Amino acid sequence: MEGCTDRLGLSERKLFKIVRENLTKLNPKTRNIIECKEDVLFVWNSKDNCLLTLNVKTAKEDHADSRSYQTLLPTDPPSFEVERLVMNGTASQIAIMGPKGVAVLDLPRRWGKEATFQGGKAVITCRCRIVDDHYFVCSPHVEVRRARWHPGSRTDAHLLVLTSENSFRLYETGGSEPQLKQVWPLGRQPSATLSSGPRLPFLVGLGDTAVDFDFAPPVPLDSKNPPIGKENTKRGATDRVDPNAIVWPVLVLRGNGDVYSVNAPLSESSEKPTVHGPLSMYPPADDNYGVDACSVLCLQSVPPVVVIATCSGTLYHCVLLNCAEDDDEDTHQDNRSSWSQYGSTYSLHTPDIALYVFESVELELGLALDDDDDTYTCPIHLHHDNSTDSRYFCTHDTGVHMMSLPFIVHLEEFAKAHDDSPPLELLNQPSSAEYLICTRTSSSSPLSPILGLAITSTPPVLITLLATGEVVSLVLPSVPLPASPAVPMLNGNDNGSREESYSPLKVLLKEPFDVHIKKFLKHNISQPILKLGPNADPSPQECLELVSRTTQLFREEYFQRHDRVREEIERRVRTLQTLKQHQLQELEHMEQEKAKLKQTAERLAEKYEDTKDKQEELTKRAENILRLVSQRQPVLSSAEKKLMRDMKDFKEKFKDFQKALEQVKAKQNYHKVQMEQWVSNQKKRELYLGQTHMKTIKVNMAQMTNEIAELVKMVEISKQELGL
């Protein structure tokens, strides 16, 4: 059974054995002392005040316990009780939070084959800095409500802390010591005594203090509207927004259920933060949707969906939208209040946005085996699912719930659509709450709260740390992707219009059959994994009630649905068989029609060939008739007249060419005679040397030869004399 609930086998790891030994010293309270980032699991060890890390990807492959985990030892460990770990986006720092303080631990670098810290060193000393230690020590009545890393920080080193003094404190942790950058009051400071004045009576008890906050999607700094401002919808696609002029609105939840929006830039400017609120909630309710609000969560969808949780186990899903432009002016005048009347310098502006409550979900806090469980209340902690915006998780003293919001996908499709018609799927697919882990069966059972919840990246695995030290790791279902729009088969008609072709089978299979079956198998009530505390000793009566409840649940929510699925499959099979028989008959009829059409086509082809031959014969006869008619016409045609003119022109040109040719021949004969006379004259003018001349030339040549020989001898003699 343990292997079914712990798919990663983390409970048997040495890391959790060490943690399990020290969990008995902790107060029974829901915490979150584990965190997972980039498939590295971080667990806080309360005994040694250190951080233990484990690579969940190689958890099953690594069998050596000495190398299965690493210890991050803080240089200045926190002295307060740790209740929450918050990792920043770049996994460079982790905030260690408790009611009495906040510490920031710098994580070392990772390298090596398995990307371990400092190559796999067992114990690593990390720099740890206490955030504003003097303030929290000197103010023992001040407690930390919530701390989150600011998503708009360029260095990812801005930590926003919500304190019980109804104020925000922004710290920059990138330097050697955390520096306080800004303090944003959120209203009147609570007082614990009556001596502070009659106008400030116990704000905490009345729910007038902030209990939680979350960040909404960013908006330009010059926009006066928080997340869904009117100016944002009018911006063109080509407009460029300065990254320095981006602000992340903060949604602040008070204990009485009021939600405020705070716009404040990260830069140290002289501008005061703008506080909008309280945001109107539609449709209005007498109790403002509960007076015991404890947690808020903003899903980064389009438009944003805000989740408000109450201690009674009720979740409100709200859509954050602009207020209607035609609101009653008197209502605006009533809402235009200011904090200045309470002695604050920060003005409370009229909100231009509102929360439209889409639905409310009641969580089952325990299995409620007796009547006392109906009145049980406890804080609900909301957790983001980084893999999708259509799912989040709830942890409390009685277990873990998984919330699925399929309408978010349709909201985004509707936001991208151009028409104004509301999508009908929004009304057909409500949210579903699945009770994953239950730690309490009745009011007499001891508390066994959840101590940590983390989600790995891919594939998504839910890791839960129970109060007993046992780890539950469950593989989460894959996120349903929006179906791509089907392209209909279109046929053209005579008018040029196009209409969708009709097919009975396509109408029957318009929705995938597996999706249709999953709808039938979807349970309204789920059977959670029961994990009771070590001191839990249920009575035989409680065990019998638990078995009876489980049996009844299986009969109503499982067996009946499976019977219905079986009937649906049989009905679909019968329908498909009927369609198959009808289609076989249609195919047989079409084969017969095909044979008839083939015979008709052969007859038409033969007629076509005969008609073609007859047409060619008629064409030739028509051509012959036209030629004979044109030949017997008594008047010359224009072509014949043109030909006659051309013939006359050619005849005249021929006579001219003949005369020119005769002149050329006469000139040729004349030049021939002249050439013969010139050749004969040249032959007569040839010269010949006589014997006397030849003898004289020979004598002169011999004399010149002798002289040259004598000169050569003289040159040789001169060279010898000169020694050359």
Side-chain angles (χ1 to χ4, degrees):
M1 182 64 185
E2 185 177 355
C4 298
T5 59
D6 188 9
R7 296 299 180 90
L8 299 179
L10 298 177
S11 296
E12 299 300 326
R13 308 304 299 177
K14 186 176 180 180
L15 181 149
F16 286 99
K17 291 181 181 179
I18 296 174
V19 175
R20 194 178 301 123
E21 297 174 357
N22 306 320
L23 291 180
T24 56
K25 301 178 182 180
L26 297 178
N27 298 328
K29 181 181 179 181
T30 301
R31 306 167 185 265
N32 193 19
I33 60 173
I34 67 174
E35 183 66 277
C36 186
K37 189 73 173 181
E38 298 177 355
D39 293 326
V40 176
L41 184 64
F42 299 86
V43 184
W44 178 255
N45 186 1
S46 59
K47 179 181 178 181
D48 300 330
N49 285 336
C50 62
L51 201 63
L52 307 179
T53 66
L54 175 67
N55 192 334
V56 296
K57 279 189 175 181
T58 59
K60 289 188 176 182
E61 300 175 359
D62 191 5
H63 300 285
D65 288 343
S66 60
R67 298 181 61 253
S68 61
Y69 71 96
Q70 294 179 279
T71 303
L72 304 183
L73 192 62
T75 56
D76 186 10
S79 59
F80 51 83
E81 185 180 1
V82 177
E83 292 186 356
R84 185 175 293 272
L85 300 179
V86 183
M87 181 79 68
N88 64 351
T90 57
S92 60
Q93 294 180 341
I94 184 170
I96 304 172
M97 188 187 75
K100 297 300 181 181
V102 180
V104 176
L105 182 69
D106 294 339
L107 298 179
R109 294 181 179 272
R110 299 170 59 186
W111 63 75
K113 180 180 179 181
E114 297 178 357
T116 55
F117 292 105
Q118 292 190 0
K121 190 176 179 181
V123 181
I124 304 172
T125 303
C126 302
R127 184 177 65 167
C128 182
R129 296 156 296 168
I130 307 299
V131 177
D132 212 346
D133 189 20
H134 179 74
Y135 169 74
F136 289 104
V137 170
C138 297
S139 304
H141 61 281
V142 177
E143 293 184 355
V144 177
R145 299 298 187 194
R146 177 73 71 177
R148 295 183 187 270
W149 294 97
H150 202 293
S153 175
R154 286 188 172 184
T155 59
D156 202 8
H158 286 79
L159 185 66
L160 188 61
V161 179
L162 175 63
T163 64
S164 59
E165 286 188 332
N166 214 14
S167 63
F168 275 133
R169 301 178 71 87
L170 180 64
Y171 298 93
E172 184 178 1
T173 62
S176 58
E177 292 295 334
Q179 297 180 1
L180 178 62
K181 292 298 182 181
Q182 296 184 34
V183 178
W184 306 333
L186 299 176
R188 298 171 292 179
Q189 294 185 358
S191 176
T193 61
L194 293 174
S195 60
S196 58
R199 294 188 301 171
L200 303 174
F202 297 100
L203 296 182
V204 177
L206 296 177
D208 288 341
T209 58
V211 295
D212 195 8
F213 73 94
D214 198 4
F215 292 95
V219 295
L221 183 60
D222 56 352
S223 175
K224 297 181 180 180
N225 300 327
I228 313 298
K230 300 174 184 177
E231 296 180 5
N232 296 341
T233 58
K234 296 180 180 179
R235 289 181 179 270
T238 59
D239 294 345
R240 294 183 179 180
V241 180
D242 187 6
N244 297 325
I246 294 295
V247 64
W248 291 76
V250 183
L251 299 180
V252 183
L253 175 67
R254 286 189 176 183
N256 57 6
D258 291 338
V259 180
Y260 292 81
S261 178
V262 181
N263 286 359
L266 286 177
S267 60
E268 297 181 7
S269 58
S270 59
E271 298 181 0
K272 298 179 181 179
T274 305
V275 180
H276 301 263
L279 304 183
S280 301
M281 298 184 70
Y282 299 100
D286 297 335
D287 58 348
N288 195 25
Y289 295 95
V291 292
D292 54 350
C294 58
S295 184
V296 65
L297 186 71
C298 183
L299 303 177
Q300 305 294 320
S301 59
V302 180
V305 175
V306 180
V307 183
I308 301 175
T310 62
C311 294
S312 59
T314 304
L315 302 177
Y316 297 101
H317 296 156
C318 314
V319 181
L320 191 63
L321 296 174
N322 290 328
C323 294
E325 298 181 358
D326 54 352
D327 286 346
D328 191 9
E329 296 181 358
D330 297 336
T331 305
H332 283 286
Q333 293 294 336
D334 296 339
N335 291 335
R336 288 196 181 107
S337 58
S338 176
W339 290 357
S340 59
Q341 58 182 329
Y342 305 118
S344 175
T345 58
Y346 288 80
S347 298
L348 182 64
H349 297 269
T350 301
D352 293 329
I353 56 175
L355 294 173
Y356 295 84
V357 181
F358 183 82
E359 64 179 355
S360 63
V361 181
E362 293 287 342
L363 298 182
E364 184 181 7
L365 300 180
L367 294 183
L369 296 180
D370 51 16
D371 297 333
D372 296 336
D373 285 351
D374 295 338
T375 59
Y376 179 75
T377 60
C378 65
I380 309 295
H381 301 270
L382 305 178
H383 303 266
H384 281 279
D385 188 355
N386 296 327
S387 61
T388 176
D389 291 331
S390 60
R391 184 171 60 195
Y392 67 92
F393 296 88
C394 308
T395 58
H396 41 81
D397 294 344
T398 60
V400 179
H401 278 83
M402 182 178 69
M403 298 298 303
S404 300
L405 285 70
F407 64 86
I408 288 184
V409 178
H410 301 288
L411 270 179
E412 295 179 350
E413 293 177 355
F414 175 66
K416 297 177 182 179
H418 299 287
D419 54 350
D420 297 333
S421 58
L424 298 179
E425 292 82 355
L426 293 179
L427 304 177
N428 298 332
Q429 294 188 2
S431 301
S432 62
E434 185 175 355
Y435 206 167
L436 297 180
I437 303 173
C438 178
T439 61
R440 193 169 185 264
T441 57
S442 63
S443 59
S444 60
S445 302
L447 288 179
S448 181
I450 301 298
L451 299 184
L453 183 142
I455 303 172
T456 62
S457 56
T458 51
V461 178
L462 178 68
I463 301 175
T464 306
L465 178 62
L466 306 180
T468 59
E470 184 181 355
V471 180
V472 177
S473 56
L474 303 175
V475 178
L476 296 176
S478 59
V479 179
L481 299 177
S484 58
V487 180
M489 299 297 294
L490 301 177
N491 296 326
N493 51 18
D494 297 338
N495 299 329
S497 61
R498 307 174 76 124
E499 58 182 5
E500 186 176 356
S501 61
Y502 175 77
S503 173
L505 185 58
K506 289 182 179 179
V507 173
L508 179 63
L509 303 178
K510 185 177 182 181
E511 183 182 32
F513 187 65
D514 56 345
V515 177
H516 186 63
I517 294 299
K518 286 179 181 179
K519 289 182 179 180
F520 283 105
L521 294 176
K522 188 176 181 181
H523 309 293
N524 297 326
I525 302 176
S526 61
Q527 179 64 26
I529 300 173
L530 191 60
K531 296 289 183 180
L532 300 180
N535 299 326
D537 187 14
S539 62
Q541 180 67 24
E542 291 180 354
C543 294
L544 179 60
E545 291 179 359
L546 181 60
V547 173
S548 302
R549 181 185 184 277
T550 305
T551 305
Q552 186 69 18
L553 179 63
F554 276 114
R555 287 177 178 175
E556 295 179 356
E557 293 293 331
Y558 288 84
F559 297 155
Q560 291 183 3
R561 293 181 180 274
H562 281 79
D563 291 339
R564 187 176 179 184
V565 168
R566 177 177 54 80
E567 295 175 358
E568 184 67 20
I569 293 175
E570 292 177 354
R571 186 183 67 84
R572 180 61 62 90
V573 170
R574 290 194 300 268
T575 304
L576 292 177
Q577 288 177 351
T578 304
L579 287 175
K580 180 181 178 181
Q581 187 67 25
H582 176 70
Q583 290 177 354
L584 291 176
Q585 295 177 359
E586 290 291 331
L587 286 175
E588 184 179 359
H589 177 69
M590 289 181 180
E591 289 292 338
Q592 297 176 359
E593 292 293 331
K594 180 180 178 181
K596 293 180 181 179
L597 291 175
K598 186 176 181 180
Q599 295 176 0
T600 305
E602 291 177 356
R603 291 196 301 270
L604 292 176
E606 293 177 358
K607 291 183 179 180
Y608 172 76
E609 292 295 334
D610 297 340
T611 304
K612 184 179 179 182
D613 296 340
K614 191 67 175 179
Q615 184 179 3
E616 291 179 355
E617 182 181 357
L618 293 176
T619 302
K620 291 180 180 179
R621 291 179 60 186
E623 291 177 355
N624 293 330
I625 292 173
L626 290 175
R627 185 174 63 256
L628 294 174
V629 169
S630 60
Q631 288 178 357
R632 296 185 179 184
Q633 285 182 355
V635 182
L636 296 176
S637 63
S638 58
E640 292 176 344
K641 292 179 180 179
K642 182 179 179 181
L643 180 62
M644 185 177 293
R645 290 194 299 269
D646 293 340
M647 292 296 293
K648 290 181 180 179
D649 294 338
F650 290 154
K651 187 175 181 180
E652 293 177 356
K653 290 181 180 179
F654 177 75
K655 292 180 180 180
D656 296 337
F657 290 154
Q658 190 174 9
K659 292 180 181 180
L661 182 61
E662 291 177 355
Q663 293 178 0
V664 170
K665 288 181 178 180
K667 289 182 179 180
Q668 183 181 4
N669 294 331
Y670 173 75
H671 288 297
K672 185 177 180 181
V673 173
Q674 294 294 327
M675 287 297 297
E676 291 177 354
Q677 293 179 359
W678 182 79
V679 169
S680 61
N681 293 333
Q682 289 293 329
K683 291 181 179 180
K684 293 180 181 180
R685 294 176 61 182
E686 291 181 357
L687 298 179
Y688 298 95
L689 294 177
Q691 295 294 332
T692 305
H693 294 87
M694 293 179 65
K695 289 180 180 180
T696 304
I697 291 171
K698 291 180 179 179
V699 171
N700 291 333
M701 293 293 293
Q703 186 178 359
M704 291 175 65
T705 302
N706 294 332
E707 292 179 354
I708 291 171
E710 291 178 358
L711 290 173
V712 170
K713 291 180 180 180
M714 292 177 64
V715 170
E716 294 293 335
I717 294 171
S718 299
K719 286 183 178 181
Q720 292 177 0
E721 292 178 354
L722 296 175
L724 297 176

